[in-house]
Each structure stands twice: as structure tokens, then as C-alpha cells.
Amino acid sequence: MPWCSFVLKPGCHPAPDGNSDPLRAMVWRRRMEVSQEYKAIVRLDRQSADWVKVLLGNHWVRTVADLNLPALRLPELRLLHFPVRSREQFAAKCVVGWMAYLDKDPLAERRQFGFQWRDNFKLLIEGHPFDDQLLGQASFLYSASPRPIDWDTDVVKETPQLNYERRYSTGLSMDTLQLVSRSWRQAIIGNPDRVVAKLLNEGKQKEALVYLEDAIAQEESAVLWNDWAMLHHRGGDLKRAESGFRRALMLDETDRMASVNLGLLLFSQGRLKEGWPFLKPYKDTLNEKEAALLHSFSERMRKQLGLQPKQETQLSGASSAMNKTSTSAPECVLPSALPASTQGKGKNLGVVLQVVDPPVILNEDHFRPVTDMQRAMELFKASIRFVEVEIHSYCNRNCSFCGNSFLDRRSNKTLMNPATYSKIIDDLSKIDYEGVVWYSRYNEPCADRPLFIERLREARAKLPHAHLQTFTNGDYITAEYIEALRDAGLNRLSIMAYLGKDEKPTQENFLNAMMTRLEKLGVAWKFETPSCARIEIPGIDVTYNYTDFLRFGTNRGGALATGSIIKRLSPCTVPITDVYIDYNGSMVPCCDIRSDYSLHKDFVVYKLTPENSIFEGYANSKLVAWRRTLSRFGKKQFPCDTCSRRTYTGTPPVASMFNIIESKIGPA
């Protein structure tokens, strides 16, 4: 959700007096966000959140396996943002924020991490007063590059429409010294969960218990008591475990973990009437482990009591709760009603893929060849979100995580037939394509500047609503080249930091490579995360980031022994939502498959020429066969058998969706 920042205009904000609420007292906001920032909102649909992690500043959310989540921007909504509210709050924020950056990386100052915290921290320790002017400037330039401020034109007065009641505080900041002192103490003591986990991993259960008891003596909380109770449960002392869970709920009756743990403990002892009230409020959010325990206890009690299924009382709710849980991301759903606009010649299967934006409603025609051209165009328009085109074959690098490490892409440069490229773009224009056109594959698109500019101009002229994007290794990039790409129609440029052959893929080496290139570019930039910097050139989205593909990439369709290699059982929906086209016109079902690799050559599903159509390729029998094979759980064949790209978990809601597909389309 995009934020809308409210600021402290010099001379116009009331001094905190103990009664005023900053959120109601601050009535000036930026007229325009110079660099629009977003905060992340995760829609869980009553699922457990233990599969996600929130990153720095709540700007990004990823899975615990460090994979990206499908995301949708909500430009029509506003998040009211009050980053700087008072002298005390901002001073404490500068100290705590900058210390956190230094704790993560002692070289953060050199790498421009948290430059605002750094600069304001320096002012603080040098004794500069945080007067109205400095505070106003800090609030206006929060998360933006320095520039002159015209307070008459750059801000506008707006009274935030807030509907809330404060019950526990006035909204004023804690005293600076008090807040910093608490933060310092916490940093020294450490996060209790991490300390306890570390001690337990070392086999030091007694030490972990002593640590928790000391922490509780300092300042008790529901979380600490829950952890204390779990340790006693682990040691077999169920009475103390029960008392610990009950104490946690006395401190916070809404604490989910303590309530669920107490309910499960009571169920394990056959105390159903006592336990069910603690489990019932959370029966729809139990994770797999919790649901399995609940099911196990319920089954045990059913057998002990000699109950038949129809005789269940308390047990019925407990058992059915198991079937409503999932720890997976909300990847697909079964809609209660489908929009009429999605109806085509084939029947809708009632399954919506939410891993793409906008979601795709599956249709029978995805799983059978379509010869009617009009229907093929309709299916393509309703389904395809991503078209990747390789305009030539050349790449100047041979990175170890890429097939170019053993396939020669440097000796020659073969261009895609210009007429074939024009036919692809013309076809997309017939359906007013609004998705992404990506210029990458296994070449370096920026290596031929005149060609790339010409291809972008053609696409932009014919596809006014498409998003034109590309990766680049950055070797040919200058600030002037970026501006030329922007003027030709490119919407987004993702520059990747790659290392030399003898350099180890460490964070320090990646960041040093990034810093060298960023300084050479000579334009404004800032780090958004420790691995991603945003380059501030108006009119184009430019990022510079690194990924350790040797660890977190894929094995490129079995071509390499790198990346994340698994025994794949998950379905795959890439052949439904994406199209990949090599420089020679070959359509392949996945970005990891390439027509110039001998073991992949039989996986080409269609050959595009100036005479045929991308829609025919999408609807033809070969690509349909891939969809039918991959749209179900089970062992996969080469080259998909060890692929880790876009996997789905087998938890009940997700599995049931793919079971629906399988039941409708029949055997592969």
C-alpha cells in the first residue's frame, strides 16, 4: 500500500503538552511523494503466518525460505504515514535506528545504508539542537534524497480522517533516554526466543529455563510465560506447564500461542470440556502440527469412549478443525461465483491461480488443444501475464549459475528475425496486451544498444499498456543509457550484481561490487534493503540488487548442479501464465528450458515465424501436454524433477484445488 506522509511544518505544529495526539495534531502532508514508498500487507485468509517473514521497515514480506511472494500494488488506497512526530521520538529513532544498522553491518556508513539515520545521528552527537527547521526538514525528506523545500508549495493542509479511540497511551513518544536505555538493554540481553533457541540447540535446557526465569523477574509477559511453560512441558512437568500457560493468559487473554498450547495440553489429558474453549477461537488458524496433535488427541479419546462419528460432540469441532488449516501461502482458491466475463467456450474449472496479478481462472481449454484462433486469443489474453523475448543470442559473461557457463553465447551474435519479432508484437497488440514483456532470457539485451532501443520503440508504439522490463548485468549501463532506455519505452530496469569467477558469493563482495558501480553511475541512489538499491532516475523504475544464485537459484532445468535442488512433487502453473521465446523463435514451456541445449531441444513446444501466431503456440497440443502433466501433485520427469521454481505446498486447501483440476481434466 502506498504511503502518504504527514510532516511537521516549521512553526505550524503544536508543542507536545501531554494531552495532544500527534496523529490528530499533524495536519500538513507532502503534496506529492518524491519517491513513492510502500508498506506490505499480507492477506492470510485466517491462515497461520509462520511461513512469512517481515523485512526491514515492513516494506517487504518474503517466505521463511527467502522466496518472493506474489504482490499486488493498491494505488487507490493510502497508508497515512507519520514517521517524524516529535523531537523526543525522532531523536530516539535516530539513535536506535542507526545502532541497528551498525549492528547488522559495521560498514553500513560506507555502503550508504540508512543514510538519514546516519546523518541525523551525527547531528545529535555533535550537539545540534533539533529545532523546528531541522525537524521539519527531517520529516519532509524522510526516505527521500536531499533537496530544497518550498513550504508554501511542497505541502498541503489536510486533516487526517481518523476514527479511533486511544485507551492505553496518549500517542506521545516515550522519553528519549528511557527508550534508548530500554533498547540498549534489550540488545545486550538479546531476543528471548533466539537466546532460548540457541541454548536448546546446545542441549542446555536448564540454562534456558534459568534465563527465562530471570527475564520474567525483570518484566513478565505472556510470551515469556508461554516459553517457560513450553520448557516445562518439554521436560514432562505438565502441572507447571499448565500454570505457565494460564499465567500467560492472565497477562494477555488474546495470546494465541498460550491459548492453543493450553487447549492442546488439556486435550492430551482427556480434559475436553476444559480444553475446547481455549482451542475453539483459533480452530480455523491451526497450523499443520497443531491440527495433527488435535486430531490425534481427538481420535484417541473417541476410541477410549467408544464413540461412533455421529455421536461426536466436543470431538466433532476438534476433528473438523484439522481440515480447515493450512500453512501455505494463499496460492489458489475456489470461488463461490465466477465473473461472467471469464466465461469462454470451455468450462471454467472453478479454480483461481493467485500467484499472478491479476489472478487467472482456469478453464478446460487450458488442458486441451484449441484450434479456433479467436478462442486461442481469448484464452491467451485471460491467462498470460508474462512474455519473455530474446532479441539476440549474445551474452558477454559466462556465469557459473547459468547454462552459458558451458554453452557458447560469446563467439557469435544471432539476431531474432526482425519479422518474427514484429509478428509477436503485432499479435500482442491485437489483444491490447497489458502484461509484462521481458527482454532477457540467456542474452545480455543491453549489449546491442541500437537494436534494443529500436525493439523497445516498436513495442511501446504498439503496446501502450504493456510493462516493458529487463534484467541486465550492468556492464554496458550508464546514466545516459538508462535515460535512453526510458525514452524508448522501458518501464523497469533490474541491474544484477554479478561477481568475478574467483570471488566468493559473500554479502561483502556483492556489496563492494554494487558500491563500485553505483559510484561510477554518478546519480542519486539509496539502499532499500541490504541487497537492493534504488537508482533515482525520473520516469523509470531502476533497481540494483544481488542474489546468490548458486544457493537460491534453480538448476536451470537439470542443466546445472547449483541452486536449490529438490525432488519435485508440486504442480507447476508456469506453462499457463508465462510464455518464453528464444532468439531463434523457439517457444519453450519455462524460463529454465532453452532450445540451444541438447538435452532441452525436444522440449520446444512451437516454432514462431513471421507466418504463424503466438496464440497458436500457446494453444497447441505440445504445450497442453505440459500443462496436463504438471497440474497435479506427484513425481515429475526431467527436466522438472528437481526444479524448485514456483512450488505449491500439499496442505489440504491447496491440494484440493489441484485435485479438482485433475478430476476435471482426467489423466495426463
Side-chain angles (χ1 to χ4, degrees):
M1 182 184 294
W3 75 27
C4 172
S5 299
F6 285 78
V7 303
L8 296 172
K9 184 177 180 180
C12 295
H13 62 275
D17 56 10
N19 296 314
S20 61
D21 183 341
L23 303 191
R24 289 193 169 100
M26 294 174 63
V27 296
W28 294 93
R29 66 166 174 82
R30 295 172 180 162
R31 184 179 296 274
M32 190 175 93
E33 295 291 335
V34 179
S35 177
Q36 182 64 68
E37 301 288 351
Y38 293 80
K39 292 285 189 178
I41 300 173
V42 182
R43 177 177 171 178
L44 294 171
D45 290 332
R46 298 190 300 177
Q47 298 179 78
S48 169
D50 57 3
W51 53 273
V52 299
K53 61 179 179 180
V54 180
L55 304 185
L56 184 68
N58 197 41
H59 295 288
W60 308 271
V61 179
R62 306 192 81 185
T63 70
V64 292
D66 211 34
L67 300 175
N68 287 324
L69 290 171
L72 173 67
R73 288 188 174 180
L74 305 172
E76 69 278 7
L77 299 179
R78 296 193 310 165
L79 178 72
L80 303 188
H81 187 228
F82 301 82
V84 180
R85 300 183 289 280
S86 69
R87 292 177 180 82
E88 292 75 15
Q89 174 261 345
F90 188 61
K93 191 168 186 173
C94 289
V95 174
V96 174
W98 183 237
M99 291 302 102
Y101 272 107
L102 289 179
D103 180 61
K104 288 179 64 177
D105 183 0
L107 299 179
E109 187 166 358
R110 176 176 178 266
R111 292 168 181 154
Q112 299 292 313
F113 288 172
F115 64 92
Q116 290 184 323
W117 304 135
R118 176 201 64 198
D119 295 345
N120 288 301
F121 177 79
K122 285 183 177 180
L123 292 176
L124 190 65
I125 63 175
E126 290 171 1
H128 292 273
F130 278 7
D131 56 22
D132 273 11
Q133 288 294 329
L134 193 150
L135 204 61
Q137 177 177 304
S139 68
F140 185 85
L141 294 177
Y142 186 87
S143 193
S145 300
R147 70 176 184 85
I149 305 171
D150 185 337
W151 288 107
D152 293 327
T153 60
D154 288 342
V155 297
V156 62
K157 193 170 186 178
E158 177 185 334
T159 302
Q161 299 301 307
L162 302 172
N163 182 18
Y164 66 91
E165 175 187 352
R166 286 200 179 273
R167 297 180 180 178
Y168 305 106
S169 75
T170 63
L172 297 179
S173 173
M174 187 184 298
D175 174 77
T176 302
L177 184 59
Q178 185 182 9
L179 195 152
V180 171
S181 299
R182 284 194 175 194
S183 176
W184 190 9
R185 173 182 173 276
Q186 186 64 38
I188 294 173
I189 293 176
N191 180 291
D193 287 340
R194 292 179 184 174
V195 174
V196 170
K198 182 176 183 296
L199 290 171
L200 291 178
N201 286 336
E202 295 171 354
K204 300 177 180 178
Q205 183 161 330
K206 289 184 178 179
E207 289 85 345
L209 194 57
V210 170
Y211 170 82
L212 279 173
E213 289 172 347
D214 287 344
I216 289 171
Q218 291 285 337
E219 186 175 359
E220 67 175 340
S221 69
V223 173
L224 291 174
W225 275 111
N226 181 75
D227 290 348
W228 182 87
M230 287 295 293
L231 280 183
H232 280 296
H233 186 277
R234 181 172 177 166
D237 192 339
L238 302 188
K239 287 186 177 180
R240 287 198 175 188
E242 181 178 339
S243 68
F245 293 137
R246 291 189 183 277
R247 178 58 184 168
L249 291 172
M250 286 180 65
L251 294 172
D252 182 2
E253 63 182 9
T254 66
D255 188 283
R256 178 195 175 280
M257 288 303 301
S259 188
V260 170
N261 287 334
L262 178 57
L264 290 173
L265 173 62
L266 295 173
F267 257 60
S268 71
Q269 298 174 327
R271 297 156 65 184
L272 273 61
K273 284 188 176 181
E274 289 182 74
W276 184 238
F278 296 103
L279 290 167
K280 188 176 180 179
Y282 307 104
K283 62 184 178 65
D284 293 325
T285 66
L286 298 180
N287 62 37
E288 288 185 17
K289 183 177 180 181
E290 293 165 345
L293 285 171
L294 179 57
H295 181 69
S296 174
F297 298 149
S298 301
E299 288 297 309
R300 187 196 311 167
M301 288 302 301
R302 182 184 293 115
K303 290 178 181 178
Q304 290 177 359
L305 297 173
L307 292 177
Q308 299 299 318
K310 291 184 179 180
Q311 294 176 277
E312 299 171 12
T313 54
Q314 297 278 349
L315 295 178
S316 62
S319 296
S320 63
M322 176 193 172
N323 298 320
K324 298 179 181 179
T325 61
S326 171
T327 57
S328 67
E331 297 149 330
C332 43
V333 297
L334 181 63
S336 56
L338 298 176
S341 61
T342 66
Q343 303 297 327
K345 293 186 177 180
K347 293 181 180 179
N348 286 316
L349 299 181
V351 176
V352 182
L353 299 179
Q354 292 189 329
V355 293
V356 289
D357 175 31
V360 172
I361 298 178
L362 295 188
N363 189 284
E364 283 181 341
D365 289 344
H366 285 113
F367 304 100
R368 63 186 184 189
V370 175
T371 56
D372 180 79
M373 180 57 67
Q374 183 60 37
R375 176 57 188 149
M377 292 171 64
E378 293 171 356
L379 192 68
F380 189 103
K381 182 177 176 62
S383 309
I384 292 299
R385 306 292 181 254
F386 187 97
V387 176
E388 188 168 26
V389 182
E390 194 172 43
I391 58 175
H392 63 74
S393 65
Y394 178 76
C395 183
N396 61 311
R397 288 182 175 246
N398 56 354
C399 303
S400 57
F401 54 80
C402 173
N404 291 351
S405 59
F406 65 91
L407 296 171
D408 183 14
R409 283 292 191 100
R410 293 194 293 178
S411 297
N412 298 293
K413 179 170 66 176
T414 304
L415 306 187
M416 173 179 277
N417 183 337
T420 299
Y421 175 82
S422 293
K423 183 62 165 64
I424 294 169
I425 301 302
D426 287 340
D427 280 347
L428 296 178
S429 70
K430 292 177 183 177
I431 59 170
D432 190 21
Y433 179 67
E434 298 178 351
V436 173
V437 178
W438 198 280
Y439 294 89
S440 294
R441 296 291 292 143
Y442 293 92
N443 72 345
E444 170 47 54
C446 295
D448 191 329
R449 175 169 172 167
L451 177 71
F452 195 17
I453 295 293
E454 181 181 346
R455 296 292 181 263
L456 286 172
R457 285 175 177 163
E458 180 178 356
R460 177 51 66 219
K462 296 177 179 178
L463 305 174
H465 301 119
H467 294 266
L468 309 184
Q469 306 176 14
T470 192
F471 282 123
T472 176
N473 60 34
D475 292 347
Y476 300 90
I477 290 297
T478 64
E480 185 271 333
Y481 193 176
I482 296 175
E483 291 173 347
L485 292 171
R486 173 201 63 196
D487 295 343
L490 192 68
N491 298 106
R492 181 182 176 192
L493 179 68
S494 297
I495 307 173
M496 304 300 295
Y498 297 145
L499 301 177
K501 282 188 175 181
D502 298 327
E503 292 183 280
K504 294 183 178 179
T506 63
Q507 183 185 50
E508 184 173 0
N509 284 340
F510 275 119
L511 289 174
N512 284 334
M514 291 175 70
M515 289 295 298
T516 300
R517 180 154 285 163
L518 286 168
E519 291 169 357
K520 186 178 179 180
L521 273 176
V523 296
W525 56 272
K526 63 179 179 180
F527 272 98
E528 293 191 328
T529 71
S531 62
C532 179
R534 182 166 297 280
I535 297 172
E536 297 182 353
I537 294 180
I540 185 171
D541 182 12
V542 186
T543 56
Y544 189 18
N545 58 282
Y546 74 82
T547 298
D548 184 356
F549 287 107
L550 290 174
R551 293 179 59 198
F552 301 115
T554 70
N555 64 359
R556 305 293 184 178
L560 302 171
T562 60
S564 177
I565 299 175
I566 63 173
K567 291 183 179 180
R568 187 181 184 104
L569 300 175
S570 165
C572 177
T573 57
V574 169
I576 296 173
T577 60
D578 301 5
V579 165
Y580 299 92
I581 307 169
D582 287 347
Y583 68 92
N584 54 18
S586 297
M587 275 183 64
V588 292
C590 170
C591 62
D592 287 327
I593 296 174
R594 49 190 296 175
S595 59
D596 61 345
Y597 177 38
S598 59
L599 296 183
H600 287 177
K601 63 181 181 180
D602 291 337
F603 303 140
V604 174
V605 296
Y606 198 70
K607 190 78 169 182
L608 288 171
T609 70
E611 288 73 40
N612 57 25
S613 164
I614 192 173
F615 307 125
E616 294 171 347
Y618 181 72
N620 88 95
S621 59
K622 287 188 177 180
L623 196 51
V624 164
W626 280 84
R627 294 187 201 121
R628 294 179 68 90
T629 300
L630 293 174
S631 294
R632 60 194 78 218
F633 282 93
K635 186 177 179 181
K636 303 296 181 288
Q637 301 297 316
F638 179 83
C640 306
D641 53 341
T642 57
C643 177
S644 58
R645 188 179 300 279
R646 199 188 289 184
T647 58
Y648 294 83
T649 54
T651 46
V654 178
S656 65
M657 297 302 100
F658 285 101
N659 289 340
I660 290 172
I661 298 172
E662 187 167 8
S663 68
K664 296 289 181 67
I665 67 176

